[in-house]
Amino acid sequence: MEYALIYANFDDPLQASKSHGLFRPYGLSILSESLKKKGFSGKTFLTKEEYSFFIRERPDSVRLIGVSATSFSRFEAIRIIKECRSIYPKALIVAGGCHFGSCAKDSIQNIPELDIVVRGDGEEAICELMFLSLGRKDIRYIRGITYRDPSGKITEQGEPLAVEELGGLDFMDSFYNPEEFQGNPLSDHMPIPSMNILAGRGCPYKCIFCSVNRVKNRMYPVETVIGTIERTTKKYGIKGVKFFDDSLTLNEDYMRQLCAGLIKRKLDIFWLCDSRANINLELIPLMYAAGCRFISVGLESGSPKIQKIISKNISNEGVLRFVKKCRQVGIRPYIFLMVGFPQENEQDLEMTLEFCRRLCRLGAIAGTAAALTIFPGTEVEQMARARGILPEGFSWSGPYEDNRNTAYGQFAHMPVYTELLTPELFRDFNQKLLEGYASGMPLKAFFVQAMENLRRKDLAWGEKMQLGKTVIFQRMKYFLKRE
């Protein structure tokens, strides 16, 4: 074994349920395929159990160790890096992925056990770093990396890498564990076992809270995506597909080809995706015909003032037209919301609530909002540092735990933007939002969802109970008014 690629998984399974469902991070598998094509041998370790096996076995042939993490699991990644350094003192230890790539200098400066951070797509860099670990490559000619030079100076070499032409997804044929599908329902409203897939990479938009934007959108070939879906769904006998792209619908021509291909193959699947609201609405009937039943769309705020501040580049009128068209053809839209933006006052929050009530009456799902969380490399992070919201000298790699963050539904180690937001305001907003959603939800629909959640031991059960309580309360208020 010449290389080991490790995903720093969560300590607490609850965290997985809070982060957009279950998603096997196949980025490392893509890197592994690139290394194998160059003739190198190694493995990916995507779970704690797999990593523990690697540590127990301690293969002495390992020359390169790669670690990937999210901001949520960054401390677990740092622990792994330190542990690997103590066991493999001569190995080249590399970190990558969205989190480390967005705070590369911080990571190199504050994690002495870490040698290099890869910024951007890693297929090219990981192969060159493998050659570096064998003494067959000069580090000065490797692009898209951050490292310490021999004098200890931190060097950023080249811009973040972006692969122009995405290749195949062949590794996915042996990627999944069949049991995972049962714990990965398509939706609460259609809880069928589902697979996950990314059809592309990148988002060109400039939302101030997002760390994965301002990157050219690139897509896997349509036939590659459809073929992967067909093989996986037939092999495991499942009918659900979750596209995890930040916005699957950015390229209209691509979407038309994808939908036409899915219709032609007659795969008998149902799928969901994320989308922006400002797409050609003629796509929506085609998406439904191809099996789309749910679309998540980021409204974030119903205040035009806030939409402008956060560079969302949408309008309430556009979102309204989008939701109406979705409901007309039979697609259920989920509305993503956040609170706590810079300059967001109670009037802005009330505008959001009123607009969401209107969307819910049309059949959209808008029952919860997240507090604005700070991520590395974002404009929100810059604001938080300048305005003292982040503590002085804050490092993404240093100790950080603030239990006040839990009052906003976030983990203590994830910083929340709290310039104007208070816990009371956050709770009150979400309660009113839930009441607006629940007022249009039939009791029968709630109980169907609740029984399914109980069957699959949904970790968000407490939230479902709160919804049920609110649904029943809203129904009682309705009947009392009639009397």
Side-chain angles (χ1 to χ4, degrees):
M1 184 190 300
E2 296 169 289
Y3 67 85
L5 303 179
I6 303 162
Y7 177 67
N9 210 346
F10 298 115
D11 283 320
D12 182 353
L14 176 60
Q15 297 188 27
S17 74
K18 285 188 174 182
S19 55
H20 205 12
L22 300 172
F23 179 63
R24 281 176 73 83
Y26 59 70
L28 289 182
S29 294
I30 292 174
L31 301 187
S32 183
E33 285 292 302
S34 298
L35 287 166
K36 288 177 180 177
K37 288 178 181 178
K38 295 290 185 180
F40 298 112
S41 63
K43 291 184 179 180
T44 57
F45 302 94
L46 302 180
T47 67
K48 283 184 176 293
E49 292 74 19
E50 293 171 353
Y51 171 69
S52 296
F53 175 81
F54 168 66
I55 292 299
R56 287 196 305 270
E57 292 296 307
R58 302 193 178 198
D60 57 11
S61 58
V62 173
R63 305 301 297 268
L64 181 146
I65 297 172
V67 179
S68 179
T70 66
S71 297
F72 294 95
S73 60
R74 67 189 189 278
F75 291 135
E76 177 69 358
I78 294 170
R79 184 193 69 78
I80 288 172
I81 290 168
K82 292 178 180 293
E83 184 173 39
C84 286
R85 174 58 70 211
S86 67
I87 296 172
Y88 301 98
K90 295 182 179 180
L92 185 69
I93 300 183
V94 180
C98 181
H99 171 76
F100 285 111
S102 298
C103 56
K105 282 187 176 180
D106 180 325
S107 301
I108 292 294
Q109 182 175 347
N110 293 291
I111 311 174
E113 297 83 359
L114 178 62
D115 296 313
I116 297 171
V117 171
V118 175
R119 293 173 285 113
D121 296 341
E123 290 97 319
E124 176 185 327
I126 197 67
C127 294
E128 295 188 329
L129 291 171
M130 189 72 229
F131 285 117
L132 174 69
S133 73
L134 297 169
R136 294 158 55 186
K137 185 76 178 184
D138 189 327
I139 195 170
R140 294 173 299 173
Y141 301 107
I142 302 177
R143 300 181 302 127
I145 63 171
T146 301
Y147 65 99
R148 293 181 209 84
D149 68 15
S151 69
K153 178 184 176 182
I154 297 176
T155 300
E156 285 202 323
Q157 210 150 263
E159 295 298 316
L161 298 173
V163 175
E164 286 296 325
E165 293 187 9
L166 303 184
L169 295 169
D170 295 342
F171 69 90
M172 290 188 67
D173 290 344
S174 58
F175 185 68
Y176 281 106
N177 180 335
E179 286 74 27
E180 292 175 18
F181 300 119
Q182 301 303 321
N184 191 37
L186 184 65
S187 157
D188 278 346
H189 300 81
M190 187 182 284
I192 58 175
S194 303
M195 65 173 285
N196 303 318
I197 191 168
L198 279 168
R201 305 181 198 174
C203 175
Y205 287 94
K206 301 177 181 179
C207 302
I208 67 172
F209 52 83
C210 183
S211 58
V212 294
N213 56 13
R214 303 169 193 261
V215 179
K216 180 182 176 182
N217 179 238
R218 295 141 294 142
M219 307 301 289
Y220 286 99
V222 168
E223 283 302 312
T224 296
V225 174
I226 294 174
T228 301
I229 291 172
E230 182 173 27
R231 289 192 304 273
T232 306
T233 54
K234 288 184 176 179
K235 178 179 179 180
Y236 296 104
I238 59 175
K239 293 182 179 294
V241 178
K242 298 164 79 168
F243 286 96
F244 266 68
D245 301 76
D246 292 306
S247 184
L248 181 66
T249 58
L250 287 174
N251 186 320
E252 181 179 340
D253 289 340
Y254 184 90
M255 281 305 300
R256 290 187 180 279
Q257 293 176 42
L258 178 65
C259 291
L262 291 172
I263 293 169
K264 184 177 179 180
R265 295 282 185 97
K266 299 179 180 179
L267 299 185
D268 190 26
I269 61 169
F270 300 107
W271 49 276
L272 65 75
C273 69
D274 290 1
S275 173
R276 290 183 62 85
N278 54 344
I279 65 171
N280 185 343
L281 299 185
E282 292 180 3
L283 279 177
I284 294 176
L286 182 62
M287 292 169 67
Y288 180 86
C292 180
R293 293 297 180 268
F294 304 95
I295 300 179
S296 298
V297 60
L299 170 65
E300 320 309 351
S301 171
S303 163
K305 180 191 85 176
I306 298 301
Q307 290 168 359
K308 185 176 181 180
I309 287 172
I310 66 177
S311 302
K312 190 62 187 178
N313 194 29
I314 60 171
S315 68
N316 286 355
E317 294 76 16
V319 173
L320 192 62
R321 289 192 295 270
F322 177 88
V323 168
K324 285 181 177 178
K325 190 65 175 180
C326 284
R327 296 307 297 140
Q328 178 184 333
V329 303
I331 292 175
R332 197 82 185 268
Y334 287 93
I335 309 299
F336 288 159
L337 299 162
M338 283 191 241
V339 291
F341 291 112
Q343 301 181 41
E344 186 175 51
N345 55 36
E346 292 191 31
Q347 182 180 4
D348 296 310
L349 293 177
E350 187 55 43
M351 291 176 69
T352 301
L353 286 170
E354 183 54 41
F355 187 56
C356 285
R357 293 183 189 112
R358 188 176 178 186
L359 295 178
C360 287
R361 286 194 292 270
L362 292 172
I365 301 166
T368 186
L372 177 59
T373 301
I374 303 167
F375 288 98
T378 63
E379 288 185 48
V380 166
E381 182 198 14
Q382 296 174 21
M383 294 177 185
R385 290 183 184 275
R387 299 173 187 181
I389 296 166
L390 285 173
E392 186 176 355
F394 172 83
S395 166
W396 290 100
S397 305
Y400 175 79
E401 187 164 329
D402 189 339
N403 287 323
R404 289 176 296 182
N405 295 328
T406 61
Y408 300 98
Q410 192 48 273
F411 304 110
H413 66 281
M414 287 302 300
V416 174
Y417 193 92
T418 55
E419 184 177 19
L420 299 175
L421 188 64
T422 66
E424 294 75 22
L425 197 61
F426 177 72
R427 287 195 299 269
D428 182 63
F429 179 87
N430 268 292
Q431 181 60 37
K432 290 178 179 177
L433 188 66
L434 188 64
E435 289 173 0
Y437 170 48
S439 64
M441 186 178 194
L443 278 174
K444 180 180 178 181
F446 164 73
F447 282 116
V448 169
Q449 284 187 40
M451 292 305 296
E452 177 57 31
N453 294 150
L454 183 62
R455 184 189 67 79
R456 56 184 173 85
K457 299 179 182 178
D458 188 347
L459 291 172
W461 179 249
E463 297 175 12
K464 300 301 184 300
M465 287 296 94
Q466 177 63 28
L467 174 59
K469 175 183 174 183
T470 308
V471 170
I472 293 170
F473 180 69
Q474 292 299 111
R475 294 280 79 73
M476 289 176 63
K477 284 173 60 177
Y478 172 75
F479 286 117
L480 286 172
K481 283 181 180 180
R482 290 183 63 186
E483 293 295 325

